[in-house]
């Protein structure tokens, strides 16, 4: 039985990662700044654990700051996890409004976690930390800013504080790995979609469209309809985390990997929802309005449109299962409807 620690346990990624770890048979401990009932992920987690016959799951949850203090070092020293998933972060849009807090939380939590794992007696935990497409931004002198697709070796010129923390964190983790201190691994994720609301990202407009469709509301989207960005359905994202964490270190040619899912425009997402929502709400016409002028457009315009994940495919056999809207949209609509109960 693998001992796994999930930090940032109340967020969007954790709401699917924790059930996946539990289903795998792991002993899972959870830490988040908030108590479980006050997190975005509570509904999904509580539903999962109750149906798994484990209604007392919140006893394994610690409410504490992941970026400072003694909680993370104490849990890592006492629980001796074999795998740590550090998901704590302020996302891109919120981070631009609170840059100092974004720097403190995103870098502080990573530093504390790396130092706590480094202090473990062998065997030390592997650390999985999500990076993001926000690591990229217009390359000085490059026509159009970025190549299309963007790949692992595309130079990183992040434009947001969130992106700066992601690139800095990738480099910090790689240093800990190179010096033999911590087996750090990272994924540059596209915008992630599941039934749990994300908190304050630029790609959230897509999540909101799916929620609106299930709730039979018109959606008001803050990006231009021709905005094309990389996305990934959460089951693929969770699988990529588990596969990279489990990969033989001898096969890893790098510590951070781009992973690709699909790259629809906002208009294509709306059309896909309109096509598939009919099955769950017969007769309902999904309407999406695209409202110009939001500051998040400026962030989106600096990000990759499509991704090339050749290194992940080659090194550890990665391949997304949900690579088209027709594969993802029906599954995501069903999932949101089921979890909203
Ligand atoms: N989904 C994130 C955001 O929009 C990107 O990693 O901030």
């Amino acid at each position: 039985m693998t001992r796994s620690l999930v930090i940032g346990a109340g967020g969007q990624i954790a709401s699917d990662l924790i059930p996946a770890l539990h289903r795998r048979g792991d002993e899972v401990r959870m830490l988040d700044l908030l108590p479980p009932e006050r997190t975005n992920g509570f509904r999904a987690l509580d539903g999962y654990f109750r149906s798994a016959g484990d209604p007392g799951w919140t006893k394994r949850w610690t409410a504490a700051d992941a970026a400072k203090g003694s909680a993370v070092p104490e849990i890592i020293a006492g629980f001796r996890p074999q795998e740590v998933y550090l998901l704590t972060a302020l996302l891109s849009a919120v981070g631009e409004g609170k840059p100092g807090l974004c720097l403190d939380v995103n870098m502080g939590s990573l530093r504390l976690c790396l130092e706590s794992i480094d202090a473990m007696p062998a065997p030390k935990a592997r650390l999985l930390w999500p990076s993001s497409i926000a690591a990229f931004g217009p390359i000085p002198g490059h026509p159009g800013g970025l190549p299309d697709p963007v790949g692992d070796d595309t130079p990183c010129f992040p434009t947001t504080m969130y992106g700066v923390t992601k690139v800095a964190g990738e480099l910090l983790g790689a240093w800990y790995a190179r010096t033999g201190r911590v087996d750090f691994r990272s994924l540059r994720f596209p915008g992630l979609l599941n039934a749990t609301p994300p908190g304050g990202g630029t790609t959230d407009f897509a999540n909101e469209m799916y929620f609106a469709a299930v709730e039979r509301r018109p959606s008001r989207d803050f990006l231009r309809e021709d905005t094309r960005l990389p996305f990934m359905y959460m089951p693929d994202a969770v699988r990529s985390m588990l596969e990279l964490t489990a990969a033989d270190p001898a096969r890893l040619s790098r510590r951070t990997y781009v992973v690709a899912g699909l790259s629809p425009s906002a208009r294509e997402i709306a059309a896909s929802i309109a096509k598939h929502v009919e099955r769950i709400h017969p007769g309902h016409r999904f309407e999406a309005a695209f409202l110009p002028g939001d500051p998040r457009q400026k962030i989106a315009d600096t990000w990759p449109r499509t991704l090339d994940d050749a290194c992940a495919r080659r090194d550890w056999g990665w391949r997304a299962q949900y690579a088209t809207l027709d594969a993802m949209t029906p599954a995501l609509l069903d999932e949101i409807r089921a979890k909203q109960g």
Side-chain angles (χ1 to χ4, degrees):
M1 185 191 269
T2 304
R3 290 182 304 280
S4 295
L5 172 63
V6 179
I7 302 173
Q12 187 204 4
I13 297 177
S15 71
D16 276 320
L17 176 65
I18 291 168
L21 294 170
H22 186 262
R23 269 195 296 270
R24 193 174 78 167
D26 287 20
E27 183 183 352
V28 188
R29 292 280 175 89
M30 296 156 272
L31 184 141
D32 197 277
L33 186 60
L34 298 173
E37 310 75 36
R38 289 181 47 206
T39 65
N40 280 359
F42 179 71
R43 198 180 179 124
L45 289 177
D46 198 48
Y48 167 75
F49 278 113
R50 283 181 188 281
S51 67
D54 187 2
W57 65 278
T58 56
K59 291 193 201 84
R60 300 191 296 278
W61 183 290
T62 302
D65 196 330
K68 52 180 188 274
S70 59
V72 166
E74 280 172 13
I75 290 183
I76 289 178
F79 179 51
R80 291 181 297 110
Q82 291 146 296
E83 296 179 9
V84 176
Y85 298 85
L86 173 59
L87 310 175
T88 301
L90 258 67
L91 296 185
S92 59
V94 168
E96 286 308 275
K98 299 176 180 169
L101 187 64
C102 181
L103 188 60
D104 286 349
V105 169
N106 296 10
M107 295 308 296
S109 57
L110 179 58
R111 180 178 176 184
L112 189 57
C113 204
L114 286 163
E115 289 176 350
S116 304
I117 294 172
D118 189 20
M120 291 174 82
K124 298 181 189 183
R126 285 184 181 175
L127 174 60
L128 194 286
W129 185 74
S131 183
S132 164
I133 51 171
F136 299 106
I139 302 165
H142 191 286
L146 278 172
D148 191 20
V150 159
D152 287 284
D153 295 327
T154 302
C156 288
F157 287 90
T159 54
T160 59
M161 179 56 85
Y162 171 71
V164 168
T165 67
K166 288 301 176 189
V167 176
E170 291 177 7
L171 295 172
L172 185 64
W175 181 84
Y176 270 83
R178 193 167 49 247
T179 56
R181 288 173 163 83
V182 177
D183 188 344
F184 168 92
R185 300 161 186 220
S186 181
L187 292 152
R188 286 181 182 149
F189 276 134
L192 298 177
L193 294 157
N194 65 354
T196 300
T202 300
T203 54
D204 296 13
F205 76 95
N207 307 65
E208 163 53 21
M209 275 181 171
Y210 283 92
F211 291 124
V214 173
E215 291 161 17
R216 283 182 263 214
R217 299 186 273 111
S219 96
R220 300 266 169 272
D221 302 301
F222 52 76
L223 294 190
R224 280 194 326 268
E225 58 184 315
D226 63 349
T227 309
R228 186 176 299 283
L229 286 169
F231 285 94
M232 184 176 278
Y233 189 30
M234 196 64 86
D236 271 340
V238 165
R239 193 165 50 79
S240 73
M241 286 190 272
L242 301 183
E243 288 180 7
L244 177 57
T245 304
D248 176 354
R251 292 180 56 196
L252 303 183
S253 61
R254 58 190 66 228
R255 288 286 151 179
T256 296
Y257 287 88
V258 165
V259 278
L262 59 168
S263 271
S265 69
R267 185 195 300 122
E268 288 164 356
I269 296 172
S272 173
I273 293 173
K275 173 176 159 192
H276 290 286
V277 78
E278 170 70 20
R279 191 173 44 80
I280 62 167
H281 293 317
H284 174 60
R285 260 191 73 234
F286 175 66
E287 284 170 36
F290 297 93
L291 311 171
D294 191 282
R296 286 169 283 192
Q297 184 72 51
K298 284 205 176 70
I299 298 177
D301 289 343
T302 70
W303 284 358
R305 291 157 62 83
T306 59
L307 298 171
D308 175 1
D309 56 8
C311 293
R313 288 168 183 253
R314 183 195 62 212
D315 287 3
W316 43 280
W318 165 249
R319 189 172 205 99
Q321 276 171 7
Y322 295 90
T324 63
L325 282 170
D326 273 338
M328 180 183 74
T329 296
L332 179 53
L333 290 172
D334 283 346
E335 184 199 338
I336 295 171
R337 189 165 70 148
K339 290 195 178 153
Q340 287 189 347

